[in-house]
Amino acid sequence: MLELHDAPLAPLTTFRLGGPAARLITATTDAEVVAAVREADAAGTPLLLIGGGSNLVIGDKGFAGTALRIATEGFSLDGTTLELAAGEVWTDAVARTVEAGLAGIECLAGIPGSAGATPIQNVGAYGQEVSSTISEVIAYDRKTGETVTLTNAECAFSYRHSRFKADPDRHVVLRVRFELEDANGLSAPVKYAETARTLGVEPGDRVPLADARETVLKLRAGKGMVLDLEDHDTWSAGSFFTNPILTDEAFAAFHARVRERLGADAVPPAYPAGEGHTKTSAAWLIDKSGFTKGYGTGPARISTKHTLALTNRGEASTEDLLALAREVVAGVHDAFGITLVNEPVTVGVSL
C-alpha cells in the first residue's frame, strides 16, 4: 500500500476541491482494502473511502483522518455474468461490455467514478439503473469483521439509494457482480424518451449496442457530463441534486404553486414513482426558479450546459460551491415549496 501524509485530496475528486487528508492510503487489492479498514477501525481513526471521486464534496479544511483510495483492478466475464473490482473505472467497464456484445448497462456510459460506487448510489441515467442488473455485491462488513455477499434484494435499492447509502459506515464494497443480457448485439429496450428520439426509434425498441452507447455519450457531453480537463463545465459531480419524489398530496400542492407562479396552463414534469408518489425534475425546478444555465458571477457557477450541475470554474473553494448550492436550494424552496437534496456525499461540510 502507498501511504502519504498531509496529502491533497482535491486532485482525487471531479470537483477538484477540498483540503488535504492527514493520511492517504492507496490500496490495490481487496486484502489491502480490508487491512486498511480494519486498522483504522481498531484505532478509532475516522475513515474516508475514495473511489473515482465523482460524488464527493470535501471541505476546505480537508479530512483529519485516514483517506483510503480504492484502486483495485479486476474485470471478469463468464457468459453473461460480469464481476468488477470496486476500483475499476466504470465508464471503461461499460465500454468493454458493449464490445463483448452484452446489454444492460450501455446507457450508463460516460458516468465518471468507480464500479464500487455504483451500488451505493444505485447509479442511473437515460433509463437504466444498476439495480436492474446487479446480482450480488461483495463487501467487507465493518460491524462483523467479515467479508459478505449481499444479494440484489439485500441491497435494498431504490431511487439513488441503497442500504450502503443508508448506513454508510457499515459496508465497504469490494466487488460487484452483474447479470447482463446477450441480445445478439442489441441493447436493452430503450426506455428514455430523449435517447429514443435521438436514435430515431420508439421507446421499447432495441438498437445496436454501440449506437446506444455512442448516443448516450454524445447526449452527456452536450450537457457537460463527460469528464474533460479543458472544460470547466465538467468540473462537477454531475447532477448535484436528486429529482424530488412527492406524495400525491405534496404534488398537488406543488402543482398549485406552479400555476400560481407560471400561469394557469403551466404543467410541471411528472413521472410515476410508485403508488401514491410522483417524481418531478430538479433541473426544471432550478431553471423555473431563475437559476438558468451559467448562473453566477463567482468561481462556482451553474454549468453553461445543464442547470443540474454546479461547477468549479477553476479557482473555486468548497465554500464557494456550497454558497451557490444553498442559494439554489433556498430559491427553489421559496418559489415552489420543495427542498432539494444534494446527491454528492459531503465530507466535513453540509448544506
Side-chain angles (χ1 to χ4, degrees):
M1 288 187 287
L2 175 65
E3 181 174 332
L4 299 172
H5 295 269
D6 195 27
L9 294 180
L12 301 182
T13 74
T14 53
F15 264 125
R16 295 168 180 80
L17 294 175
R23 180 181 183 226
L24 172 64
I25 293 175
T26 298
T28 58
T29 68
D30 290 353
E32 288 181 351
V33 172
V34 171
V37 174
R38 281 178 171 161
E39 179 194 40
D41 287 349
T45 303
L47 183 67
L48 171 63
L49 302 176
I50 300 178
S54 60
N55 204 42
L56 276 180
V57 177
I58 299 173
D60 292 317
K61 293 182 179 179
F63 185 68
T66 295
L68 173 59
R69 178 171 172 259
I70 299 176
T72 53
E73 296 181 356
F75 178 102
S76 173
L77 267 177
D78 182 7
T80 57
T81 300
L82 168 68
E83 180 175 297
L84 296 176
E88 279 289 323
V89 176
W90 174 253
T91 193
D92 292 348
V94 172
R96 292 176 70 177
T97 65
V98 169
E99 290 171 3
L102 297 177
I105 57 175
E106 62 279 0
C107 290
L108 302 178
I111 295 177
S114 61
T118 60
I120 297 171
Q121 189 76 2
N122 185 16
V123 163
Y126 294 96
Q128 291 182 343
E129 288 183 330
V130 292
S131 58
S132 298
T133 50
I134 287 177
S135 58
E136 295 177 327
V137 174
I138 297 90
Y140 174 68
D141 187 334
R142 296 170 69 181
K143 183 176 181 179
T144 66
E146 299 177 347
T147 297
V148 297
T149 299
L150 302 171
T151 65
N152 181 290
E154 289 172 326
C155 293
F157 291 121
S158 59
Y159 172 66
R160 300 298 174 270
H161 202 67
S162 68
R163 73 178 296 169
F164 309 109
K165 191 171 180 179
D167 189 3
D169 295 327
R170 175 74 183 266
H171 293 98
V172 178
V173 175
L174 301 175
R175 296 185 172 265
V176 188
R177 292 186 182 131
F178 301 81
E179 191 57 43
L180 303 177
E181 178 187 9
D182 185 350
N184 296 315
L186 296 180
S187 68
V190 177
K191 295 181 180 179
Y192 200 69
E194 184 184 20
T195 312
R197 186 167 58 249
T198 305
L199 285 162
V201 301
E202 294 296 320
D205 288 349
R206 294 177 184 263
V207 299
L209 277 165
D211 291 354
R213 175 177 174 270
E214 288 303 318
T215 295
V216 166
L217 287 173
K218 289 177 182 177
L219 289 172
R220 290 185 64 86
K223 299 173 183 177
M225 298 290 186
V226 177
L227 291 179
D228 180 349
L229 288 174
E230 303 303 317
D231 183 0
H232 286 291
D233 274 326
T234 72
W235 289 32
S236 75
S239 299
F240 195 87
F241 300 104
T242 58
N243 291 321
I245 296 178
L246 308 175
T247 64
D248 288 344
E249 181 181 3
F251 188 83
F254 162 55
H255 197 175
R257 292 280 288 266
V258 169
R259 290 194 296 267
E260 178 183 339
R261 181 179 177 89
L262 303 177
D265 296 330
V267 178
Y271 311 96
E275 186 175 354
H277 291 81
T278 300
K279 181 169 66 176
T280 193
S281 166
W284 186 91
L285 287 165
I286 293 167
D287 181 71
K288 298 302 181 184
S289 299
F291 302 101
T292 54
K293 294 175 184 177
Y295 178 88
T297 58
R301 303 178 197 174
I302 290 177
S303 167
T304 65
K305 300 182 179 72
H306 199 296
T307 53
L308 202 48
L310 307 188
T311 66
N312 170 12
R313 307 315 293 184
E315 300 295 332
S317 66
T318 301
E319 278 307 310
D320 292 327
L321 177 76
L322 294 176
L324 175 60
R326 291 171 187 137
E327 183 182 0
V328 171
V329 170
V332 169
H333 187 270
D334 288 345
F336 297 110
I338 292 176
T339 301
L340 294 178
V341 176
N342 53 291
E343 188 168 324
V345 175
T346 55
V347 178
V349 290
S350 65
L351 291 190

Short mmCIF file of all heavy atoms in Angstrom, two decimals, residues 39-68:
data_model
loop_
_atom_site.label_atom_id
_atom_site.label_comp_id
_atom_site.label_asym_id
_atom_site.label_seq_id
_atom_site.Cartn_x
_atom_site.Cartn_y
_atom_site.Cartn_z
N GLU A 39 -7.49 -1.63 10.32
CA GLU A 39 -6.53 -0.84 11.09
C GLU A 39 -7.17 0.46 11.60
O GLU A 39 -7.04 0.82 12.77
CB GLU A 39 -5.31 -0.53 10.25
CG GLU A 39 -4.27 0.31 11.00
CD GLU A 39 -3.22 0.90 10.08
OE1 GLU A 39 -3.57 1.36 8.97
OE2 GLU A 39 -2.06 0.94 10.48
N ALA A 40 -7.86 1.15 10.70
CA ALA A 40 -8.49 2.42 11.08
C ALA A 40 -9.57 2.19 12.13
O ALA A 40 -9.67 2.94 13.12
CB ALA A 40 -9.08 3.10 9.85
N ASP A 41 -10.37 1.15 11.94
CA ASP A 41 -11.45 0.88 12.89
C ASP A 41 -10.90 0.49 14.26
O ASP A 41 -11.43 0.90 15.30
CB ASP A 41 -12.36 -0.23 12.35
CG ASP A 41 -13.24 0.24 11.19
OD1 ASP A 41 -13.30 1.47 10.96
OD2 ASP A 41 -13.85 -0.61 10.53
N ALA A 42 -9.85 -0.30 14.27
CA ALA A 42 -9.26 -0.73 15.53
C ALA A 42 -8.68 0.45 16.30
O ALA A 42 -8.72 0.49 17.54
CB ALA A 42 -8.17 -1.78 15.28
N ALA A 43 -8.15 1.43 15.57
CA ALA A 43 -7.54 2.60 16.21
C ALA A 43 -8.56 3.71 16.48
O ALA A 43 -8.21 4.72 17.10
CB ALA A 43 -6.42 3.13 15.32
N GLY A 44 -9.79 3.53 15.98
CA GLY A 44 -10.80 4.57 16.15
C GLY A 44 -10.53 5.80 15.30
O GLY A 44 -10.95 6.91 15.63
N THR A 45 -9.82 5.59 14.19
CA THR A 45 -9.46 6.70 13.30
C THR A 45 -10.59 6.95 12.30
O THR A 45 -11.07 6.00 11.67
CB THR A 45 -8.18 6.36 12.52
OG1 THR A 45 -7.13 6.07 13.45
CG2 THR A 45 -7.77 7.51 11.61
N PRO A 46 -11.01 8.19 12.11
CA PRO A 46 -12.01 8.48 11.08
C PRO A 46 -11.52 8.00 9.72
O PRO A 46 -10.33 8.14 9.39
CB PRO A 46 -12.13 10.01 11.12
CG PRO A 46 -11.68 10.39 12.49
CD PRO A 46 -10.60 9.40 12.86
N LEU A 47 -12.44 7.44 8.92
CA LEU A 47 -12.06 6.83 7.65
C LEU A 47 -12.92 7.40 6.53
O LEU A 47 -14.14 7.43 6.63
CB LEU A 47 -12.23 5.31 7.72
CG LEU A 47 -11.82 4.51 6.48
CD1 LEU A 47 -10.32 4.58 6.26
CD2 LEU A 47 -12.28 3.05 6.63
N LEU A 48 -12.27 7.84 5.46
CA LEU A 48 -12.95 8.32 4.27
C LEU A 48 -12.58 7.41 3.10
O LEU A 48 -11.40 7.26 2.78
CB LEU A 48 -12.53 9.76 3.96
CG LEU A 48 -13.00 10.34 2.62
CD1 LEU A 48 -14.52 10.42 2.55
CD2 LEU A 48 -12.36 11.71 2.38
N LEU A 49 -13.59 6.83 2.46
CA LEU A 49 -13.36 5.98 1.30
C LEU A 49 -13.46 6.80 0.03
O LEU A 49 -14.42 7.56 -0.15
CB LEU A 49 -14.38 4.84 1.27
CG LEU A 49 -14.42 3.93 2.51
CD1 LEU A 49 -15.55 2.92 2.37
CD2 LEU A 49 -13.09 3.24 2.72
N ILE A 50 -12.49 6.63 -0.86
CA ILE A 50 -12.48 7.37 -2.12
C ILE A 50 -12.32 6.39 -3.28
O ILE A 50 -11.40 5.58 -3.29
CB ILE A 50 -11.34 8.41 -2.17
CG1 ILE A 50 -11.49 9.42 -1.04
CG2 ILE A 50 -11.31 9.12 -3.52
CD1 ILE A 50 -10.37 10.45 -0.97
N GLY A 51 -13.24 6.48 -4.23
CA GLY A 51 -13.13 5.68 -5.44
C GLY A 51 -12.69 6.60 -6.57
O GLY A 51 -11.56 7.06 -6.63
N GLY A 52 -13.65 6.92 -7.46
CA GLY A 52 -13.34 7.83 -8.55
C GLY A 52 -13.48 9.29 -8.18
O GLY A 52 -13.13 10.17 -8.97
N GLY A 53 -14.00 9.56 -6.98
CA GLY A 53 -14.11 10.94 -6.51
C GLY A 53 -15.15 11.77 -7.25
O GLY A 53 -15.12 13.00 -7.17
N SER A 54 -16.07 11.12 -7.93
CA SER A 54 -17.04 11.85 -8.74
C SER A 54 -18.31 12.22 -7.96
O SER A 54 -19.18 12.89 -8.51
CB SER A 54 -17.44 11.03 -9.96
OG SER A 54 -18.01 9.79 -9.57
N ASN A 55 -18.38 11.81 -6.72
CA ASN A 55 -19.59 12.09 -5.94
C ASN A 55 -19.23 12.63 -4.56
O ASN A 55 -19.93 12.40 -3.59
CB ASN A 55 -20.42 10.80 -5.80
CG ASN A 55 -21.88 11.07 -5.55
OD1 ASN A 55 -22.48 11.94 -6.16
ND2 ASN A 55 -22.48 10.32 -4.64
N LEU A 56 -18.11 13.37 -4.50
CA LEU A 56 -17.60 13.86 -3.22
C LEU A 56 -17.48 15.37 -3.19
O LEU A 56 -16.99 15.98 -4.14
CB LEU A 56 -16.20 13.28 -2.96
CG LEU A 56 -16.06 11.89 -2.35
CD1 LEU A 56 -14.59 11.56 -2.20
CD2 LEU A 56 -16.77 11.79 -1.02
N VAL A 57 -17.93 15.96 -2.09
CA VAL A 57 -17.68 17.37 -1.81
C VAL A 57 -16.92 17.42 -0.49
O VAL A 57 -17.48 17.18 0.58
CB VAL A 57 -18.99 18.18 -1.70
CG1 VAL A 57 -18.68 19.63 -1.34
CG2 VAL A 57 -19.78 18.11 -2.99
N ILE A 58 -15.63 17.70 -0.56
CA ILE A 58 -14.76 17.68 0.61
C ILE A 58 -14.53 19.12 1.08
O ILE A 58 -14.24 20.01 0.27
CB ILE A 58 -13.42 17.00 0.30
CG1 ILE A 58 -13.66 15.55 -0.13
CG2 ILE A 58 -12.47 17.05 1.50
CD1 ILE A 58 -12.42 14.84 -0.63
N GLY A 59 -14.65 19.34 2.38
CA GLY A 59 -14.47 20.67 2.94
C GLY A 59 -13.08 21.23 2.70
O GLY A 59 -12.10 20.48 2.52
N ASP A 60 -12.98 22.55 2.75
CA ASP A 60 -11.69 23.20 2.50
C ASP A 60 -10.64 22.85 3.55
O ASP A 60 -9.43 22.91 3.28
CB ASP A 60 -11.88 24.72 2.46
CG ASP A 60 -12.68 25.17 1.26
OD1 ASP A 60 -12.42 24.65 0.15
OD2 ASP A 60 -13.56 26.03 1.40
N LYS A 61 -11.08 22.46 4.74
CA LYS A 61 -10.13 22.08 5.78
C LYS A 61 -9.61 20.67 5.61
O LYS A 61 -8.68 20.25 6.31
CB LYS A 61 -10.77 22.24 7.17
CG LYS A 61 -11.08 23.68 7.54
CD LYS A 61 -11.66 23.76 8.94
CE LYS A 61 -11.97 25.21 9.33
NZ LYS A 61 -12.56 25.31 10.70
N GLY A 62 -10.21 19.93 4.69
CA GLY A 62 -9.74 18.58 4.43
C GLY A 62 -10.33 17.55 5.37
O GLY A 62 -11.42 17.75 5.92
N PHE A 63 -9.60 16.48 5.58
CA PHE A 63 -10.10 15.36 6.37
C PHE A 63 -9.05 14.96 7.41
O PHE A 63 -7.94 14.54 7.06
CB PHE A 63 -10.40 14.17 5.46
CG PHE A 63 -11.03 13.00 6.16
CD1 PHE A 63 -12.32 13.08 6.68
CD2 PHE A 63 -10.32 11.82 6.31
CE1 PHE A 63 -12.88 12.00 7.33
CE2 PHE A 63 -10.88 10.73 6.94
CZ PHE A 63 -12.17 10.83 7.46
N ALA A 64 -9.41 15.08 8.68
CA ALA A 64 -8.48 14.80 9.78
C ALA A 64 -8.53 13.34 10.17
O ALA A 64 -8.85 12.98 11.30
CB ALA A 64 -8.81 15.69 10.97
N GLY A 65 -8.21 12.49 9.23
CA GLY A 65 -8.22 11.06 9.49
C GLY A 65 -7.51 10.34 8.36
O GLY A 65 -6.62 10.91 7.71
N THR A 66 -7.91 9.09 8.11
CA THR A 66 -7.31 8.30 7.04
C THR A 66 -8.25 8.28 5.84
O THR A 66 -9.40 7.86 5.96
CB THR A 66 -7.04 6.86 7.51
OG1 THR A 66 -6.06 6.87 8.54
CG2 THR A 66 -6.54 6.01 6.34
N ALA A 67 -7.76 8.75 4.72
CA ALA A 67 -8.49 8.62 3.46
C ALA A 67 -7.96 7.38 2.76
O ALA A 67 -6.75 7.22 2.60
CB ALA A 67 -8.30 9.86 2.59
N LEU A 68 -8.87 6.50 2.37
CA LEU A 68 -8.48 5.24 1.72
C LEU A 68 -8.95 5.29 0.26
O LEU A 68 -10.15 5.27 -0.01
CB LEU A 68 -9.11 4.05 2.44
CG LEU A 68 -8.94 2.68 1.77
CD1 LEU A 68 -7.47 2.33 1.61
CD2 LEU A 68 -9.67 1.60 2.58
#
